[in-house]
Amino acid sequence: MPDPIDAWRTLLTPENAALRAAAEWTDPGDVAAVARLRRYHSAELVHASLKLAEARRKLALKWPGRDLVADPEGAEMASSALAAAHKAARFARVLPGASVLDLCCGIGADALALAEAGLAVTAIDRDPLRAWMAGVNAHCPVRTEDVESIDLGSGPFHLDPSRRDEQGRRIRYDQLTPGPPFIERACAGRSGAVKLPPGINPGEPPPGELEYIAERGRMTQAVLWTGELASCALSATALHPNRPPATIAGQREPDAAIPSADLEAGWLHTPEVCVERAGLLASLCRRTGLGMPHPHTGLLCGEHRGDDPLLTPFRLRAVMPWRRDRVAAWLRAHGGGVVEVKTRGKAVDPDVEQSALRGPGDAPFVVFVLRFDRAVRAIVCERP
C-alpha cells in the first residue's frame, strides 16, 4: 500500500502546482471533474490535492495569508493564528529561547507560532502524516510517537489532547485523548500549557491557571498554564485581529457578587463571552464601576460609557415591554432602518425579528430582547 506521505510530498513539488490550483476549484462530489484530474495524476495524488484544498478553505480565516499543509480534520482541530500567537507570546516572555515539546502537535499550528516566537520546538504526534505536516509548517524537528509512552523530561511543553470522538463530536474533559491521568503526569512539576475544551469547569484539570479564550466574540479554547507559565488562578482573554489581547484575572464568583445597576442608567455594555464563562463578571464590574440590571441578562450598566477593551458599549435610547408592534412603531418614529436583535434563552428568534423590525429610515439600532423574571423587555440602543 502506498505511503500517504509520499503522495503529499509529491503534491507539494513545483511540478504539481497546476494540480493544486485545479483542486481548489474542483468539487470532490463532482465525479466527472475528479475523473478529469485522474487522467493525468494518480488517484492518491488527486485525493491528497482535494484534501489539501478543503483544508486550506477551512484555514482561510484561522491562518489568513498562510498556505499551511493540512488535511480537513487537522485544519478543524488546529489553533488559529490569533490563539497560537497569544500562547507562544507567554512562552517567549516567561521562558525565552527554551526548548519546548509540542505534544499531540497535529498539523503544527501551535508549533509554528512557538517557533516564530523564538522557541526551540520539537513536534510530536502518533500520526505519521500529521507529524510530517507539522514539520513542513513549523520547520521544526518532528517525532512520530505516542506521547503517553515517551520520556517527557523536565522541560516545558504544549499539549493538545484530542477534543473530539470518532464521529467528530466534542467531548468532556474526562474523555480527552490522552486523558486526565496523562495530563496530570505531564503537569506535575513542569511548566506547560494544555489546550482544553472551552466548556471545561474550574476544578476539573490539575492545579494551575485556567485561561478562557474567546476569538472574535466566540469561545474557542481554554488553556491550563502550569509551573512558571501560570500567573494566577483564573483568567479570561479576548482576541481580535489587529488589537492587543484583552485579559482579566481574578477569582470565580457567583452572580450574587455582581453589583446591581439601574437599567436606564444611560449606557449598556456587553462583556466578552470569555469573562462570563470564567465567572469573572464581578471582577470586571469592580474594574469598571458597572453593575448588572438583572441576573443572567449579560448586560452591564452605568451612567458613563465603560472604557475597557473587554466591553462593547451601547447608548440606551428606550426600554419597553416586548411587543413587536410597539417596538416597530418606536423605531419608525426615530428613523429606524437596519435593526440588529440580540437575545438570550430563545426569548425571540433574532433572524425573524430583525426582518420584521427593519424600517425605511437610515438610523441603525440594536434591540436587546431579554427576560426579566417572567417579563420580556425590549431595550433599544445605538452603537456610539
Side-chain angles (χ1 to χ4, degrees):
M1 186 174 182
D3 184 345
I5 296 178
D6 289 340
W8 282 83
R9 188 179 288 113
T10 302
L11 177 64
L12 298 184
T13 61
E15 291 77 14
N16 285 299
L19 172 60
R20 296 195 301 272
E24 293 179 7
W25 302 100
T26 301
D27 179 359
D30 187 334
V31 177
V34 174
R36 284 193 293 271
L37 295 180
R38 288 183 176 176
R39 290 178 190 171
Y40 309 101
H41 305 281
S42 69
E44 292 78 16
L45 202 58
V46 170
H47 177 75
S49 71
L50 295 173
K51 291 296 184 183
L52 176 63
E54 182 183 351
R56 285 181 170 171
R57 287 192 290 272
K58 292 178 181 290
L59 289 168
L61 184 61
K62 280 186 170 184
W63 285 85
R66 305 290 287 265
D67 288 334
L68 300 186
V69 180
D71 63 307
E73 185 182 357
E76 291 175 0
M77 295 187 295
S79 293
S80 70
L82 275 174
H86 170 67
K87 290 185 286 183
R90 187 182 294 209
F91 274 93
R93 183 177 67 252
V94 178
L95 304 169
S99 296
V100 180
L101 294 180
D102 186 17
L103 308 173
C104 305
C105 62
I107 66 165
D110 283 294
L112 171 57
L114 289 166
E116 291 186 342
L119 286 305
V121 187
T122 299
I124 304 173
D125 201 285
R126 66 181 180 182
D127 185 319
L129 180 58
R130 295 266 173 77
W132 174 80
M133 289 174 173
V136 173
N137 291 327
H139 304 287
C140 68
V142 298
R143 289 158 46 188
T144 302
E145 296 179 89
D146 185 339
V147 299
E148 294 189 74
S149 64
I150 67 173
D151 180 3
L152 297 177
S154 59
F157 69 93
H158 175 273
L159 170 63
D160 184 3
S162 176
R163 296 181 290 163
R164 298 191 178 188
D165 62 15
E166 294 178 355
Q167 286 74 45
R169 296 171 299 198
R170 295 185 180 275
I171 56 180
R172 304 186 308 269
Y173 173 68
D174 59 0
Q175 297 173 313
L176 297 176
T177 305
F182 176 79
I183 294 173
E184 293 171 9
R185 178 162 66 88
C187 294
R190 294 182 182 86
S191 297
V194 184
K195 182 178 172 182
L196 296 169
I200 194 167
N201 294 315
E204 287 189 276
E209 174 188 346
L210 189 58
E211 179 184 27
Y212 290 89
I213 296 177
E215 301 175 52
R216 298 179 172 92
R218 185 175 65 88
M219 291 296 305
T220 58
Q221 62 181 272
V223 179
L224 174 67
W225 298 98
T226 64
E228 294 179 76
L229 292 166
S231 59
C232 59
L234 191 65
S235 60
T237 298
L239 303 175
H240 291 274
N242 305 315
R243 295 191 218 167
T247 299
I248 188 169
Q251 297 292 328
R252 190 177 184 88
E253 298 178 74
D255 287 347
I258 303 172
S260 60
D262 182 0
L263 177 60
E264 301 190 42
W267 286 90
L268 271 63
H269 309 79
T270 54
E272 288 280 358
V273 63
C274 55
V275 179
E276 188 169 6
R277 180 66 194 87
L280 294 175
L281 281 176
S283 295
L284 183 59
C285 285
R286 286 192 291 269
R287 186 163 96 177
T288 59
L290 301 175
M292 183 175 282
H294 191 276
H296 313 304
T297 59
L299 292 178
L300 302 181
C301 304
E303 296 181 357
H304 305 286
R305 172 177 170 173
D307 184 19
D308 192 289
L310 289 170
L311 296 172
T312 299
F314 300 88
R315 194 191 311 274
L316 179 66
R317 292 298 306 275
V319 180
M320 63 192 79
W322 166 247
R323 277 184 22 214
R324 181 192 293 168
D325 56 348
R326 179 174 176 180
V327 175
W330 189 99
L331 293 170
R332 285 195 303 272
H334 293 81
V338 174
V339 177
E340 181 183 1
V341 174
K342 295 177 176 289
T343 190
R344 281 189 162 201
K346 300 180 180 180
V348 294
D349 184 327
D351 294 331
V352 170
E353 301 307 335
Q354 284 172 174
S355 177
L357 294 175
R358 181 166 184 163
D362 298 323
F365 286 98
V366 178
V367 179
F368 293 89
V369 183
L370 300 169
R371 295 186 186 280
F372 287 71
D373 297 324
R374 294 184 179 181
V376 181
R377 295 186 185 180
I379 306 164
V380 184
C381 303
E382 58 186 2
R383 293 181 184 272

